[in-house]
mmCIF file of all heavy atoms in Angstrom:
data_model
loop_
_atom_site.group_PDB
_atom_site.id
_atom_site.type_symbol
_atom_site.label_atom_id
_atom_site.label_comp_id
_atom_site.label_asym_id
_atom_site.label_seq_id
_atom_site.Cartn_x
_atom_site.Cartn_y
_atom_site.Cartn_z
ATOM 1 N N SER N 1405 12.462 -2.661 22.680
ATOM 2 C CA SER N 1405 13.922 -2.526 22.714
ATOM 3 C C SER N 1405 14.599 -3.784 22.178
ATOM 4 O O SER N 1405 15.800 -3.940 22.280
ATOM 5 C CB SER N 1405 14.391 -2.232 24.140
ATOM 6 O OG SER N 1405 13.993 -3.299 24.985
ATOM 7 N N SER N 1406 13.837 -4.690 21.610
ATOM 8 C CA SER N 1406 14.361 -5.924 21.037
ATOM 9 C C SER N 1406 15.313 -5.610 19.883
ATOM 10 O O SER N 1406 15.103 -4.664 19.140
ATOM 11 C CB SER N 1406 13.189 -6.768 20.521
ATOM 12 O OG SER N 1406 13.640 -7.758 19.638
ATOM 13 N N PRO N 1407 16.365 -6.441 19.717
ATOM 14 C CA PRO N 1407 17.270 -6.210 18.589
ATOM 15 C C PRO N 1407 16.654 -6.597 17.239
ATOM 16 O O PRO N 1407 17.164 -6.244 16.202
ATOM 17 C CB PRO N 1407 18.475 -7.099 18.910
ATOM 18 C CG PRO N 1407 17.951 -8.144 19.827
ATOM 19 C CD PRO N 1407 16.798 -7.530 20.582
ATOM 20 N N ALA N 1408 15.532 -7.330 17.253
ATOM 21 C CA ALA N 1408 14.869 -7.722 16.009
ATOM 22 C C ALA N 1408 14.298 -6.477 15.333
ATOM 23 O O ALA N 1408 13.915 -5.523 16.002
ATOM 24 C CB ALA N 1408 13.747 -8.705 16.301
ATOM 25 N N PRO N 1409 14.248 -6.470 13.987
ATOM 26 C CA PRO N 1409 13.725 -5.289 13.288
ATOM 27 C C PRO N 1409 12.279 -5.013 13.696
ATOM 28 O O PRO N 1409 11.467 -5.917 13.769
ATOM 29 C CB PRO N 1409 13.810 -5.665 11.809
ATOM 30 C CG PRO N 1409 14.512 -6.953 11.719
ATOM 31 C CD PRO N 1409 14.644 -7.527 13.084
ATOM 32 N N GLN N 1410 11.986 -3.772 13.979
ATOM 33 C CA GLN N 1410 10.644 -3.337 14.357
ATOM 34 C C GLN N 1410 10.154 -2.361 13.298
ATOM 35 O O GLN N 1410 10.266 -1.158 13.474
ATOM 36 C CB GLN N 1410 10.672 -2.677 15.733
ATOM 37 C CG GLN N 1410 11.111 -3.571 16.859
ATOM 38 C CD GLN N 1410 10.071 -4.634 17.168
ATOM 39 O OE1 GLN N 1410 8.886 -4.360 17.188
ATOM 40 N NE2 GLN N 1410 10.524 -5.838 17.388
ATOM 41 N N VAL N 1411 9.628 -2.888 12.216
ATOM 42 C CA VAL N 1411 9.153 -2.033 11.140
ATOM 43 C C VAL N 1411 7.643 -1.834 11.330
ATOM 44 O O VAL N 1411 6.892 -2.810 11.348
ATOM 45 C CB VAL N 1411 9.454 -2.648 9.756
ATOM 46 C CG1 VAL N 1411 8.962 -1.733 8.641
ATOM 47 C CG2 VAL N 1411 10.942 -2.930 9.605
ATOM 48 N N PRO N 1412 7.207 -0.593 11.520
ATOM 49 C CA PRO N 1412 5.783 -0.337 11.739
ATOM 50 C C PRO N 1412 4.945 -0.799 10.552
ATOM 51 O O PRO N 1412 5.360 -0.669 9.393
ATOM 52 C CB PRO N 1412 5.712 1.191 11.877
ATOM 53 C CG PRO N 1412 7.099 1.633 12.148
ATOM 54 C CD PRO N 1412 8.006 0.629 11.525
ATOM 55 N N SER N 1413 3.764 -1.334 10.851
ATOM 56 C CA SER N 1413 2.926 -1.856 9.776
ATOM 57 C C SER N 1413 1.444 -1.698 10.090
ATOM 58 O O SER N 1413 1.049 -1.508 11.244
ATOM 59 C CB SER N 1413 3.225 -3.337 9.540
ATOM 60 O OG SER N 1413 2.846 -4.107 10.666
ATOM 61 N N VAL N 1414 0.648 -1.777 9.040
ATOM 62 C CA VAL N 1414 -0.808 -1.860 9.154
ATOM 63 C C VAL N 1414 -1.260 -3.032 8.291
ATOM 64 O O VAL N 1414 -0.657 -3.326 7.258
ATOM 65 C CB VAL N 1414 -1.529 -0.562 8.716
ATOM 66 C CG1 VAL N 1414 -1.169 0.601 9.622
ATOM 67 C CG2 VAL N 1414 -1.258 -0.224 7.272
ATOM 68 N N THR N 1415 -2.291 -3.704 8.741
ATOM 69 C CA THR N 1415 -2.857 -4.793 7.959
ATOM 70 C C THR N 1415 -3.904 -4.208 7.025
ATOM 71 O O THR N 1415 -4.768 -3.440 7.458
ATOM 72 C CB THR N 1415 -3.485 -5.854 8.879
ATOM 73 O OG1 THR N 1415 -2.474 -6.318 9.779
ATOM 74 C CG2 THR N 1415 -4.026 -7.028 8.077
ATOM 75 N N VAL N 1416 -3.796 -4.565 5.758
ATOM 76 C CA VAL N 1416 -4.678 -4.002 4.735
ATOM 77 C C VAL N 1416 -5.388 -5.137 4.012
ATOM 78 O O VAL N 1416 -4.762 -6.117 3.612
ATOM 79 C CB VAL N 1416 -3.875 -3.157 3.720
ATOM 80 C CG1 VAL N 1416 -4.789 -2.611 2.630
ATOM 81 C CG2 VAL N 1416 -3.130 -2.035 4.419
ATOM 82 N N GLU N 1417 -6.690 -4.985 3.848
ATOM 83 C CA GLU N 1417 -7.494 -5.913 3.055
ATOM 84 C C GLU N 1417 -7.596 -5.311 1.658
ATOM 85 O O GLU N 1417 -8.318 -4.342 1.437
ATOM 86 C CB GLU N 1417 -8.875 -6.083 3.672
ATOM 87 C CG GLU N 1417 -9.764 -7.037 2.933
ATOM 88 C CD GLU N 1417 -9.523 -8.496 3.285
ATOM 89 O OE1 GLU N 1417 -8.958 -8.781 4.354
ATOM 90 O OE2 GLU N 1417 -9.889 -9.345 2.459
ATOM 91 N N PHE N 1418 -6.811 -5.845 0.728
ATOM 92 C CA PHE N 1418 -6.760 -5.315 -0.639
ATOM 93 C C PHE N 1418 -7.773 -6.014 -1.529
ATOM 94 O O PHE N 1418 -7.928 -7.237 -1.455
ATOM 95 C CB PHE N 1418 -5.383 -5.569 -1.264
ATOM 96 C CG PHE N 1418 -4.272 -4.726 -0.724
ATOM 97 C CD1 PHE N 1418 -3.346 -5.267 0.156
ATOM 98 C CD2 PHE N 1418 -4.130 -3.401 -1.104
ATOM 99 C CE1 PHE N 1418 -2.300 -4.509 0.644
ATOM 100 C CE2 PHE N 1418 -3.084 -2.630 -0.618
ATOM 101 C CZ PHE N 1418 -2.161 -3.187 0.259
ATOM 102 N N ASN N 1419 -8.435 -5.256 -2.384
ATOM 103 C CA ASN N 1419 -9.153 -5.841 -3.503
ATOM 104 C C ASN N 1419 -8.118 -6.093 -4.591
ATOM 105 O O ASN N 1419 -7.247 -5.248 -4.825
ATOM 106 C CB ASN N 1419 -10.223 -4.902 -4.049
ATOM 107 C CG ASN N 1419 -11.500 -4.939 -3.255
ATOM 108 O OD1 ASN N 1419 -11.667 -5.749 -2.358
ATOM 109 N ND2 ASN N 1419 -12.413 -4.040 -3.577
ATOM 110 N N ILE N 1420 -8.200 -7.236 -5.247
ATOM 111 C CA ILE N 1420 -7.299 -7.557 -6.357
ATOM 112 C C ILE N 1420 -7.903 -6.946 -7.614
ATOM 113 O O ILE N 1420 -9.069 -7.192 -7.928
ATOM 114 C CB ILE N 1420 -7.175 -9.084 -6.562
ATOM 115 C CG1 ILE N 1420 -6.877 -9.804 -5.257
ATOM 116 C CG2 ILE N 1420 -6.164 -9.404 -7.647
ATOM 117 C CD1 ILE N 1420 -5.528 -9.561 -4.684
ATOM 118 N N VAL N 1421 -7.115 -6.146 -8.325
ATOM 119 C CA VAL N 1421 -7.613 -5.561 -9.564
ATOM 120 C C VAL N 1421 -6.852 -6.156 -10.744
ATOM 121 O O VAL N 1421 -5.644 -6.358 -10.683
ATOM 122 C CB VAL N 1421 -7.520 -4.016 -9.579
ATOM 123 C CG1 VAL N 1421 -8.487 -3.420 -8.585
ATOM 124 C CG2 VAL N 1421 -6.134 -3.528 -9.307
ATOM 125 N N ALA N 1422 -7.601 -6.439 -11.783
ATOM 126 C CA ALA N 1422 -7.010 -6.965 -13.009
ATOM 127 C C ALA N 1422 -6.263 -5.850 -13.706
ATOM 128 O O ALA N 1422 -6.686 -4.688 -13.659
ATOM 129 C CB ALA N 1422 -8.097 -7.531 -13.905
ATOM 130 N N PRO N 1423 -5.149 -6.166 -14.366
ATOM 131 C CA PRO N 1423 -4.401 -5.129 -15.080
ATOM 132 C C PRO N 1423 -5.245 -4.513 -16.185
ATOM 133 O O PRO N 1423 -5.984 -5.208 -16.864
ATOM 134 C CB PRO N 1423 -3.200 -5.860 -15.652
ATOM 135 C CG PRO N 1423 -3.345 -7.292 -15.316
ATOM 136 C CD PRO N 1423 -4.558 -7.477 -14.480
ATOM 137 N N THR N 1424 -5.118 -3.193 -16.317
ATOM 138 C CA THR N 1424 -5.853 -2.509 -17.383
ATOM 139 C C THR N 1424 -4.937 -2.114 -18.526
ATOM 140 O O THR N 1424 -5.392 -1.807 -19.602
ATOM 141 C CB THR N 1424 -6.544 -1.245 -16.837
ATOM 142 O OG1 THR N 1424 -5.558 -0.407 -16.236
ATOM 143 C CG2 THR N 1424 -7.609 -1.598 -15.817
ATOM 144 N N GLN N 1425 -3.622 -2.111 -18.260
ATOM 145 C CA GLN N 1425 -2.654 -1.757 -19.299
ATOM 146 C C GLN N 1425 -1.610 -2.867 -19.358
ATOM 147 O O GLN N 1425 -0.869 -3.079 -18.405
ATOM 148 C CB GLN N 1425 -1.954 -0.435 -18.973
ATOM 149 C CG GLN N 1425 -2.866 0.749 -18.910
ATOM 150 C CD GLN N 1425 -2.116 1.998 -18.454
ATOM 151 O OE1 GLN N 1425 -1.086 1.919 -17.808
ATOM 152 N NE2 GLN N 1425 -2.647 3.151 -18.807
ATOM 153 N N SER N 1426 -1.524 -3.552 -20.485
ATOM 154 C CA SER N 1426 -0.567 -4.653 -20.589
ATOM 155 C C SER N 1426 0.869 -4.157 -20.683
ATOM 156 O O SER N 1426 1.795 -4.866 -20.321
ATOM 157 C CB SER N 1426 -0.899 -5.528 -21.799
ATOM 158 O OG SER N 1426 -0.853 -4.747 -22.976
#
Side-chain angles (χ1 to χ4, degrees):
S1405 60
S1406 163
Q1410 298 290 318
V1411 181
S1413 66
V1414 296
T1415 303
V1416 178
E1417 181 83 21
F1418 288 104
N1419 278 353
I1420 311 291
V1421 292
T1424 56
Q1425 297 175 337
S1426 59

